[in-house]
Amino acid sequence: MTDPVVYAVQDGVAILTVENPPVNALSQGVRAGLIGGLDKADADARVNAVVIIGGGRTFIAGADIREFGKPPSQPYLPQVLERIEAMKKPVVAALHGTALGGGFEVALTCHWRVAVESAQVGLPEVKLGVIPGSGGTQRLPRLIGPKLALDMIVPGNPIPARKALELGVLDEIVSGDLRAGAVGFARRVVAEKRPLRLVRDMNEKVSNVDPALFEEYRKSIARKAKGFLAPWHCIDAVEAATKLPIDEGLKKEREYFFECMDSPQRKAQIHAFFAEREAQKIPDLPADVKPKPIKSAAVVGAGTMGGGIAMNFANAGIPVKILEVSQEALSRGLGVIEKNYATSVQRGSMKQEAMDRAMKLISGTQRYEDIGEADIVVEAVFEEMAVKKEVFAKLDKTMKPGAVLATNTSTLDIDEIAASTKRPQDVIGTHFFSPANVMKLLENVRGAKSSPETIATVMALGKTLKKVPVLAGNCDGFIGNRMLHGYLREANFLLEEGATPQQVDQALEEFGLAMGPFRMSDLAGLDVGWRIRKGKAHLRPKDERYSPVADRLCEMGRFGQKTGAGFYRYEGRTPHPDPAVEDVIRQSAKEQGIERRQISAEEIVQRCMYPLVNEGAKILEEGIAIRASDIDIVYLFGYGFPVYRGGPMFWAEQIGLDKVLATIRGFHKIHGKFWEPAKLLVERAEAGKGWNDR
Ligand code: COA
C-alpha cells in the first residue's frame, strides 16, 4: 500500500500528493500525512514552496464520510488547516476533479489556488445533513462575500473552475499538465516574493454587512428547507462570519457543525448517500457483463409520459424518435415538449441554445419501420395489457436484433408483456415517474427472462439520463406503487373514522412529505384510480373493508384539480375544505357503522406510513427489492419521502423495528387483516435486529 500522502520535491517545490482512492477522502491517514508532509517541507532546505495535489481522478473530495458518527481520531481537519496557515513557505492548492467539502476547505486555507478547467469546487455538506465544519463558512465569505458564499453553501451545488475564477475563489486556471502548472505558479510566487495571502486575514467583505441579507435568505429558503436543520445552520454560520472575528467564528461554526453531526438527520442523509450508490450494485450480474451502448432511442407514445421520457434522452444528447399512431396526437405531444422546454428557458433554468440542441434531437413518426434501428425503445402507451402486448408484438417484428425493448408500465406484468415477443431476454421495465423530465427515480423492473446485459444496460442508462436507477423484481406495482397501496387505503379509512382530508394532509406534510395524499390525488386526477378500481372490483372479497369515498367523488364529476374539485374545492390551485366532501365521508361512515372520533396526527402518520414499512418488508422477503436501502431510494427519489428521514425502511429502523411491530400488531387487532405483520418484520423485530443485520 502506498502512503496516503506522497512527498516529492521538484525544482525547489515540495509536492504533497494525496493518494487515497477512489476520491482522496480526508481519512485519518491523509490528515496525518498532510501534517507530516508540511513538517517535512518546512524542514527541507531544498524546498521554498509547497503544492498540495490529488493523485488519480480528483483532488480531495471531502471528509471521509464513512468516519462520520464514529469517534473522531487525531489529527482533526482543523489541525491540518492550522498547520497550513502556520507555513512560512507559500502553499498552493492544485485542483482537478471535484474539490469538495473538507477538500475545498483545505484549498481555502492554502495561500493560492490553481485548477484545471474541468475542475469543480464546492461545499456540498448540506446534502449530507451537516454544514462545512472546518472553516468553509468563515473563509469563503471572506474571499467572495457573504451573498455569494450563501449561494454556494446553502444549496451545496459545486461550481465549475471558470466560474470560481471569476468569483475570485481561484487564482489561475492551468492549461495542460496541472502538476507542472502548479509548480510553475509556486516558483513564480517565490521569485516575485509575493507576500503570503491567508483568507483568514481578509476581512473587508465580511465587514459592515447588512443583517437584512440573512433574513431575506432565510425567507427565500423557507419552503424548500422546511424540516431540515443544516440549511438554516449554514446561514447562521455565514452570518457569524460577518459578526465575529475569525477564530470566534470558527468556534461558532464548529458548534453548529456538531449539532448537525449529532442529529438523526445527518444519519439519515448519509444513509441516503450510500444507499444511492449501493443501489447500482446488482449482486447476481456476472462481473464481466457490459451494458450495451445506447446511441439512439425511440419512444412509443407521445403522451405526458412519452414526451417526458423523450426529453430525458434529448437532454443527454441521445437522438430520439417518438412514435404515435395519429398525426394529431404526435403533433400535440411534440408541441407539449416544445412548450415545456420554452418554460424552462423563460424561468432561466435552461439556455436557449440547449433547448435548440435538444429539440433538434427529437423527431416524430407514425411508422414502426422508422424506429427499427434504435438501440432502445421505451413503450409509454396506455396502461392496459392488451394494448401493450400489441405494441410489443410490433416491436418484435421491427426492432433490430439486440435492441432493448423497454416498457414504462407502472404496474403490469413484465413477463406477460415479454411473452408477446420472441426475445424476452431483451425486454425489461423502465418505470419513469411523472413528470418524467423532472423526477429522479428510474425504477427498472427485471422480468424472469431479462438478460444480464439488458439489466446492466438500463441501469447504466439511468446514470446517463442523470436519474437514480433502482432495480426491482416483477410483481403488481413493483416496489413503489405496490407500497403506495396501503398508504392510500389507510388515508381513506382515516376519513371515515373521523379525520378530514386537510388533517390527514397536514399531518403527513408536517412529517415531511412534499404533499399529503389527498392534495396529491387531486393533482394527479382521481379518475385514473377510479378506472383501475372499477376494473378490479370483481376481485375484491365481499367482506373486505372498502372506502367508496373517492369513487363517489368521481361519480359527482369531481376528478381533482383539473375539474376544480376533488377531495377539496379549488380556487385556481388553492385547495379549500368542502362541506360536500364532508357529507360524502359522513354518509360512507354511517353506512359502514363506523363511529367517528378525534384522530391524532401521530396516529395519522403511523396509519399511513407503517403500511409502507410492512409492505416493504414483504417486498424484501420476496426478493422484489435487493436490499432495504433500495426501497428507501425509491421513496426518496420517486415519492417525495423526506430525505432527512432516510426513507421508510431506515426510518422504521430508527424508531426500532420492535416498536413498529408492536404498533402494527395493535392495528391488526383493531383493523384486521390488512395489518397482518410481514414475516420478515416479525423475525427481525423479535431477534432485535435491523434489516441488514445477519
Ligand atoms: N467519503 C467516503 N467515500 C466516498 C466519499 C467520501 N467523501 N465520496 C465518495 N465516496 C465513495 C463512494 O461511496 C463510492 O464508493 P463505492 O464505489 O464503494 O460505492 C466511491 O467513492 C465513488 O463515488 P461515486 O459517487 O460513485 O463517484 P462519482 O465519480 O460519481 O462522484 C464525487 C464522485 C466525489 C463527486 C461524489 O462521490 C460525491 O459527491 N461525494 C461526496 C462529496 C462530499 O459530500 N464531500 C463533503 C463531505 S463533508
mmCIF file of all heavy atoms in Angstrom, residues 568-598:
data_model
loop_
_atom_site.group_PDB
_atom_site.id
_atom_site.type_symbol
_atom_site.label_atom_id
_atom_site.label_comp_id
_atom_site.label_asym_id
_atom_site.label_seq_id
_atom_site.Cartn_x
_atom_site.Cartn_y
_atom_site.Cartn_z
ATOM 1 N N TYR A 568 -60.873 18.344 -2.313
ATOM 2 C CA TYR A 568 -61.014 19.762 -1.952
ATOM 3 C C TYR A 568 -61.782 20.473 -3.061
ATOM 4 O O TYR A 568 -61.963 19.933 -4.153
ATOM 5 C CB TYR A 568 -59.628 20.425 -1.839
ATOM 6 C CG TYR A 568 -58.744 19.881 -0.744
ATOM 7 C CD1 TYR A 568 -57.863 18.831 -0.999
ATOM 8 C CD2 TYR A 568 -58.752 20.444 0.527
ATOM 9 C CE1 TYR A 568 -57.027 18.343 -0.002
ATOM 10 C CE2 TYR A 568 -57.918 19.964 1.528
ATOM 11 C CZ TYR A 568 -57.057 18.917 1.254
ATOM 12 O OH TYR A 568 -56.227 18.445 2.237
ATOM 13 N N ARG A 569 -62.146 21.707 -2.753
ATOM 14 C CA ARG A 569 -62.698 22.593 -3.769
ATOM 15 C C ARG A 569 -61.544 23.541 -4.119
ATOM 16 O O ARG A 569 -60.789 23.951 -3.229
ATOM 17 C CB ARG A 569 -63.851 23.360 -3.122
ATOM 18 C CG ARG A 569 -64.523 24.427 -3.915
ATOM 19 C CD ARG A 569 -65.671 25.018 -3.077
ATOM 20 N NE ARG A 569 -65.203 25.699 -1.857
ATOM 21 C CZ ARG A 569 -64.662 26.914 -1.850
ATOM 22 N NH1 ARG A 569 -64.503 27.593 -2.959
ATOM 23 N NH2 ARG A 569 -64.281 27.462 -0.707
ATOM 24 N N TYR A 570 -61.362 23.839 -5.402
ATOM 25 C CA TYR A 570 -60.194 24.639 -5.795
ATOM 26 C C TYR A 570 -60.566 26.021 -6.287
ATOM 27 O O TYR A 570 -61.539 26.186 -7.027
ATOM 28 C CB TYR A 570 -59.384 23.908 -6.883
ATOM 29 C CG TYR A 570 -58.646 22.737 -6.288
ATOM 30 C CD1 TYR A 570 -59.265 21.497 -6.146
ATOM 31 C CD2 TYR A 570 -57.359 22.887 -5.793
ATOM 32 C CE1 TYR A 570 -58.614 20.437 -5.549
ATOM 33 C CE2 TYR A 570 -56.694 21.830 -5.182
ATOM 34 C CZ TYR A 570 -57.333 20.615 -5.070
ATOM 35 O OH TYR A 570 -56.685 19.571 -4.456
ATOM 36 N N GLU A 571 -59.776 26.993 -5.829
ATOM 37 C CA GLU A 571 -59.799 28.303 -6.482
ATOM 38 C C GLU A 571 -58.428 28.440 -7.080
ATOM 39 O O GLU A 571 -57.439 28.567 -6.356
ATOM 40 C CB GLU A 571 -60.078 29.405 -5.454
ATOM 41 C CG GLU A 571 -61.569 29.531 -5.149
ATOM 42 C CD GLU A 571 -61.840 30.361 -3.902
ATOM 43 O OE1 GLU A 571 -61.010 31.227 -3.572
ATOM 44 O OE2 GLU A 571 -62.872 30.125 -3.260
ATOM 45 N N GLY A 572 -58.336 28.357 -8.400
ATOM 46 C CA GLY A 572 -57.019 28.247 -9.033
ATOM 47 C C GLY A 572 -56.412 26.941 -8.545
ATOM 48 O O GLY A 572 -57.021 25.886 -8.657
ATOM 49 N N ARG A 573 -55.216 27.042 -7.965
ATOM 50 C CA ARG A 573 -54.605 25.812 -7.445
ATOM 51 C C ARG A 573 -54.729 25.698 -5.934
ATOM 52 O O ARG A 573 -54.171 24.789 -5.333
ATOM 53 C CB ARG A 573 -53.124 25.801 -7.820
ATOM 54 C CG ARG A 573 -52.933 25.580 -9.290
ATOM 55 C CD ARG A 573 -51.481 25.530 -9.596
ATOM 56 N NE ARG A 573 -51.272 25.145 -10.975
ATOM 57 C CZ ARG A 573 -50.144 24.676 -11.433
ATOM 58 N NH1 ARG A 573 -49.119 24.538 -10.626
ATOM 59 N NH2 ARG A 573 -50.011 24.374 -12.700
ATOM 60 N N THR A 574 -55.422 26.649 -5.345
ATOM 61 C CA THR A 574 -55.518 26.638 -3.885
ATOM 62 C C THR A 574 -56.681 25.767 -3.425
ATOM 63 O O THR A 574 -57.832 25.983 -3.811
ATOM 64 C CB THR A 574 -55.750 28.074 -3.363
ATOM 65 O OG1 THR A 574 -54.836 28.925 -4.047
ATOM 66 C CG2 THR A 574 -55.540 28.156 -1.869
ATOM 67 N N PRO A 575 -56.360 24.751 -2.586
ATOM 68 C CA PRO A 575 -57.418 23.865 -2.104
ATOM 69 C C PRO A 575 -58.174 24.486 -0.929
ATOM 70 O O PRO A 575 -57.576 25.156 -0.088
ATOM 71 C CB PRO A 575 -56.642 22.635 -1.622
ATOM 72 C CG PRO A 575 -55.270 23.120 -1.306
ATOM 73 C CD PRO A 575 -55.018 24.361 -2.111
ATOM 74 N N HIS A 576 -59.486 24.290 -0.896
ATOM 75 C CA HIS A 576 -60.301 24.708 0.242
ATOM 76 C C HIS A 576 -61.121 23.512 0.702
ATOM 77 O O HIS A 576 -61.617 22.752 -0.128
ATOM 78 C CB HIS A 576 -61.258 25.834 -0.174
ATOM 79 C CG HIS A 576 -60.544 27.084 -0.585
ATOM 80 N ND1 HIS A 576 -60.034 27.981 0.322
ATOM 81 C CD2 HIS A 576 -60.216 27.557 -1.809
ATOM 82 C CE1 HIS A 576 -59.439 28.968 -0.336
ATOM 83 N NE2 HIS A 576 -59.527 28.740 -1.633
ATOM 84 N N PRO A 577 -61.297 23.389 2.027
ATOM 85 C CA PRO A 577 -62.159 22.312 2.534
ATOM 86 C C PRO A 577 -63.558 22.473 1.947
ATOM 87 O O PRO A 577 -64.001 23.604 1.716
ATOM 88 C CB PRO A 577 -62.193 22.563 4.045
ATOM 89 C CG PRO A 577 -61.057 23.470 4.343
ATOM 90 C CD PRO A 577 -60.749 24.225 3.098
ATOM 91 N N ASP A 578 -64.219 21.349 1.703
ATOM 92 C CA ASP A 578 -65.514 21.424 1.035
ATOM 93 C C ASP A 578 -66.559 20.615 1.825
ATOM 94 O O ASP A 578 -66.403 19.405 1.992
ATOM 95 C CB ASP A 578 -65.359 20.848 -0.385
ATOM 96 C CG ASP A 578 -66.573 21.123 -1.236
ATOM 97 O OD1 ASP A 578 -67.648 21.389 -0.656
ATOM 98 O OD2 ASP A 578 -66.451 21.054 -2.471
ATOM 99 N N PRO A 579 -67.622 21.277 2.321
ATOM 100 C CA PRO A 579 -68.656 20.559 3.084
ATOM 101 C C PRO A 579 -69.268 19.406 2.290
ATOM 102 O O PRO A 579 -69.676 18.399 2.869
ATOM 103 C CB PRO A 579 -69.717 21.627 3.361
ATOM 104 C CG PRO A 579 -69.041 22.940 3.132
ATOM 105 C CD PRO A 579 -67.912 22.716 2.194
ATOM 106 N N ALA A 580 -69.295 19.539 0.965
ATOM 107 C CA ALA A 580 -69.875 18.463 0.153
ATOM 108 C C ALA A 580 -69.059 17.180 0.310
ATOM 109 O O ALA A 580 -69.617 16.069 0.328
ATOM 110 C CB ALA A 580 -69.904 18.887 -1.319
ATOM 111 N N VAL A 581 -67.779 17.306 0.452
ATOM 112 C CA VAL A 581 -66.912 16.139 0.642
ATOM 113 C C VAL A 581 -67.169 15.553 2.026
ATOM 114 O O VAL A 581 -67.278 14.331 2.205
ATOM 115 C CB VAL A 581 -65.422 16.537 0.489
ATOM 116 C CG1 VAL A 581 -64.511 15.360 0.790
ATOM 117 C CG2 VAL A 581 -65.159 17.075 -0.914
ATOM 118 N N GLU A 582 -67.262 16.454 2.984
ATOM 119 C CA GLU A 582 -67.545 16.033 4.362
ATOM 120 C C GLU A 582 -68.830 15.190 4.398
ATOM 121 O O GLU A 582 -68.895 14.158 5.061
ATOM 122 C CB GLU A 582 -67.677 17.304 5.223
ATOM 123 C CG GLU A 582 -67.759 17.090 6.698
ATOM 124 C CD GLU A 582 -66.451 16.537 7.318
ATOM 125 O OE1 GLU A 582 -65.438 16.347 6.615
ATOM 126 O OE2 GLU A 582 -66.492 16.272 8.499
ATOM 127 N N ASP A 583 -69.859 15.600 3.627
ATOM 128 C CA ASP A 583 -71.117 14.845 3.581
ATOM 129 C C ASP A 583 -70.896 13.435 3.047
ATOM 130 O O ASP A 583 -71.426 12.461 3.586
ATOM 131 C CB ASP A 583 -72.138 15.557 2.664
ATOM 132 C CG ASP A 583 -72.662 16.838 3.316
ATOM 133 O OD1 ASP A 583 -72.446 16.998 4.544
ATOM 134 O OD2 ASP A 583 -73.262 17.678 2.598
ATOM 135 N N VAL A 584 -70.128 13.345 1.967
ATOM 136 C CA VAL A 584 -69.865 12.030 1.369
ATOM 137 C C VAL A 584 -69.170 11.137 2.390
ATOM 138 O O VAL A 584 -69.512 9.958 2.553
ATOM 139 C CB VAL A 584 -68.983 12.182 0.097
ATOM 140 C CG1 VAL A 584 -68.577 10.810 -0.441
ATOM 141 C CG2 VAL A 584 -69.714 12.975 -0.976
ATOM 142 N N ILE A 585 -68.211 11.708 3.086
ATOM 143 C CA ILE A 585 -67.451 10.927 4.078
ATOM 144 C C ILE A 585 -68.380 10.446 5.205
ATOM 145 O O ILE A 585 -68.384 9.267 5.571
ATOM 146 C CB ILE A 585 -66.300 11.779 4.671
ATOM 147 C CG1 ILE A 585 -65.264 12.102 3.576
ATOM 148 C CG2 ILE A 585 -65.631 11.057 5.831
ATOM 149 C CD1 ILE A 585 -64.228 13.139 3.972
ATOM 150 N N ARG A 586 -69.176 11.366 5.721
ATOM 151 C CA ARG A 586 -70.083 11.007 6.830
ATOM 152 C C ARG A 586 -71.053 9.900 6.415
ATOM 153 O O ARG A 586 -71.296 8.952 7.152
ATOM 154 C CB ARG A 586 -70.900 12.233 7.268
ATOM 155 C CG ARG A 586 -70.132 13.118 8.195
ATOM 156 C CD ARG A 586 -70.956 14.305 8.696
ATOM 157 N NE ARG A 586 -70.057 15.240 9.332
ATOM 158 C CZ ARG A 586 -69.494 15.039 10.517
ATOM 159 N NH1 ARG A 586 -69.773 13.950 11.209
ATOM 160 N NH2 ARG A 586 -68.643 15.914 11.014
ATOM 161 N N GLN A 587 -71.575 10.071 5.218
ATOM 162 C CA GLN A 587 -72.532 9.095 4.706
ATOM 163 C C GLN A 587 -71.886 7.708 4.628
ATOM 164 O O GLN A 587 -72.456 6.709 5.061
ATOM 165 C CB GLN A 587 -73.025 9.564 3.320
ATOM 166 C CG GLN A 587 -74.013 8.649 2.632
ATOM 167 C CD GLN A 587 -75.296 8.462 3.467
ATOM 168 O OE1 GLN A 587 -75.699 9.352 4.214
ATOM 169 N NE2 GLN A 587 -75.906 7.280 3.362
ATOM 170 N N SER A 588 -70.670 7.683 4.115
ATOM 171 C CA SER A 588 -69.974 6.415 3.949
ATOM 172 C C SER A 588 -69.702 5.773 5.312
ATOM 173 O O SER A 588 -69.855 4.555 5.484
ATOM 174 C CB SER A 588 -68.673 6.668 3.183
ATOM 175 O OG SER A 588 -67.847 5.572 3.261
ATOM 176 N N ALA A 589 -69.294 6.610 6.298
ATOM 177 C CA ALA A 589 -69.036 6.091 7.646
ATOM 178 C C ALA A 589 -70.321 5.499 8.234
ATOM 179 O O ALA A 589 -70.316 4.420 8.829
ATOM 180 C CB ALA A 589 -68.496 7.199 8.539
ATOM 181 N N LYS A 590 -71.415 6.217 8.018
ATOM 182 C CA LYS A 590 -72.700 5.787 8.567
ATOM 183 C C LYS A 590 -73.100 4.420 7.990
ATOM 184 O O LYS A 590 -73.476 3.511 8.724
ATOM 185 C CB LYS A 590 -73.751 6.846 8.224
ATOM 186 C CG LYS A 590 -74.993 6.764 9.058
ATOM 187 C CD LYS A 590 -75.839 8.004 8.870
ATOM 188 C CE LYS A 590 -77.297 7.603 8.910
ATOM 189 N NZ LYS A 590 -78.154 8.588 8.260
ATOM 190 N N GLU A 591 -72.975 4.315 6.674
ATOM 191 C CA GLU A 591 -73.359 3.058 6.017
ATOM 192 C C GLU A 591 -72.567 1.873 6.557
ATOM 193 O O GLU A 591 -73.063 0.757 6.635
ATOM 194 C CB GLU A 591 -73.100 3.157 4.512
ATOM 195 C CG GLU A 591 -74.114 4.012 3.779
ATOM 196 C CD GLU A 591 -73.631 4.383 2.375
ATOM 197 O OE1 GLU A 591 -72.677 3.755 1.864
ATOM 198 O OE2 GLU A 591 -74.207 5.317 1.810
ATOM 199 N N GLN A 592 -71.324 2.141 6.927
ATOM 200 C CA GLN A 592 -70.484 1.032 7.409
ATOM 201 C C GLN A 592 -70.511 0.887 8.920
ATOM 202 O O GLN A 592 -69.789 0.054 9.477
ATOM 203 C CB GLN A 592 -69.046 1.250 6.942
ATOM 204 C CG GLN A 592 -68.905 1.188 5.433
ATOM 205 C CD GLN A 592 -67.478 1.489 5.014
ATOM 206 O OE1 GLN A 592 -66.584 0.690 5.224
ATOM 207 N NE2 GLN A 592 -67.271 2.667 4.452
ATOM 208 N N GLY A 593 -71.304 1.743 9.568
ATOM 209 C CA GLY A 593 -71.396 1.657 11.027
ATOM 210 C C GLY A 593 -70.115 2.070 11.725
ATOM 211 O O GLY A 593 -69.787 1.538 12.789
ATOM 212 N N ILE A 594 -69.365 2.974 11.104
ATOM 213 C CA ILE A 594 -68.111 3.417 11.727
ATOM 214 C C ILE A 594 -68.383 4.640 12.592
ATOM 215 O O ILE A 594 -68.938 5.633 12.105
ATOM 216 C CB ILE A 594 -67.056 3.776 10.650
ATOM 217 C CG1 ILE A 594 -66.739 2.531 9.819
ATOM 218 C CG2 ILE A 594 -65.796 4.356 11.287
ATOM 219 C CD1 ILE A 594 -65.927 2.804 8.578
ATOM 220 N N GLU A 595 -67.983 4.537 13.849
ATOM 221 C CA GLU A 595 -68.175 5.673 14.744
ATOM 222 C C GLU A 595 -67.020 6.635 14.575
ATOM 223 O O GLU A 595 -65.857 6.237 14.696
ATOM 224 C CB GLU A 595 -68.223 5.168 16.183
ATOM 225 C CG GLU A 595 -68.944 6.135 17.075
ATOM 226 C CD GLU A 595 -69.282 5.473 18.401
ATOM 227 O OE1 GLU A 595 -69.817 4.337 18.367
ATOM 228 O OE2 GLU A 595 -68.975 6.069 19.428
ATOM 229 N N ARG A 596 -67.345 7.890 14.267
ATOM 230 C CA ARG A 596 -66.254 8.847 14.013
ATOM 231 C C ARG A 596 -65.693 9.380 15.327
ATOM 232 O O ARG A 596 -66.395 9.525 16.306
ATOM 233 C CB ARG A 596 -66.752 9.968 13.105
ATOM 234 C CG ARG A 596 -66.921 9.424 11.660
ATOM 235 C CD ARG A 596 -67.684 10.331 10.748
ATOM 236 N NE ARG A 596 -67.142 11.677 10.624
ATOM 237 C CZ ARG A 596 -66.147 12.049 9.835
ATOM 238 N NH1 ARG A 596 -65.523 11.154 9.090
ATOM 239 N NH2 ARG A 596 -65.780 13.300 9.772
ATOM 240 N N ARG A 597 -64.371 9.638 15.311
ATOM 241 C CA ARG A 597 -63.692 10.073 16.541
ATOM 242 C C ARG A 597 -62.583 11.050 16.171
ATOM 243 O O ARG A 597 -62.254 11.214 14.989
ATOM 244 C CB ARG A 597 -63.091 8.855 17.256
ATOM 245 C CG ARG A 597 -62.069 8.146 16.376
ATOM 246 C CD ARG A 597 -61.608 6.802 16.940
ATOM 247 N NE ARG A 597 -60.885 6.056 15.903
ATOM 248 C CZ ARG A 597 -59.563 6.058 15.746
ATOM 249 N NH1 ARG A 597 -58.786 6.732 16.560
ATOM 250 N NH2 ARG A 597 -58.996 5.378 14.766
ATOM 251 N N GLN A 598 -61.999 11.665 17.210
ATOM 252 C CA GLN A 598 -60.829 12.531 17.018
ATOM 253 C C GLN A 598 -59.631 11.644 16.696
ATOM 254 O O GLN A 598 -59.412 10.653 17.391
ATOM 255 C CB GLN A 598 -60.524 13.279 18.322
ATOM 256 C CG GLN A 598 -61.455 14.437 18.627
ATOM 257 C CD GLN A 598 -61.155 15.627 17.722
ATOM 258 O OE1 GLN A 598 -60.040 15.791 17.237
ATOM 259 N NE2 GLN A 598 -62.168 16.444 17.466
#
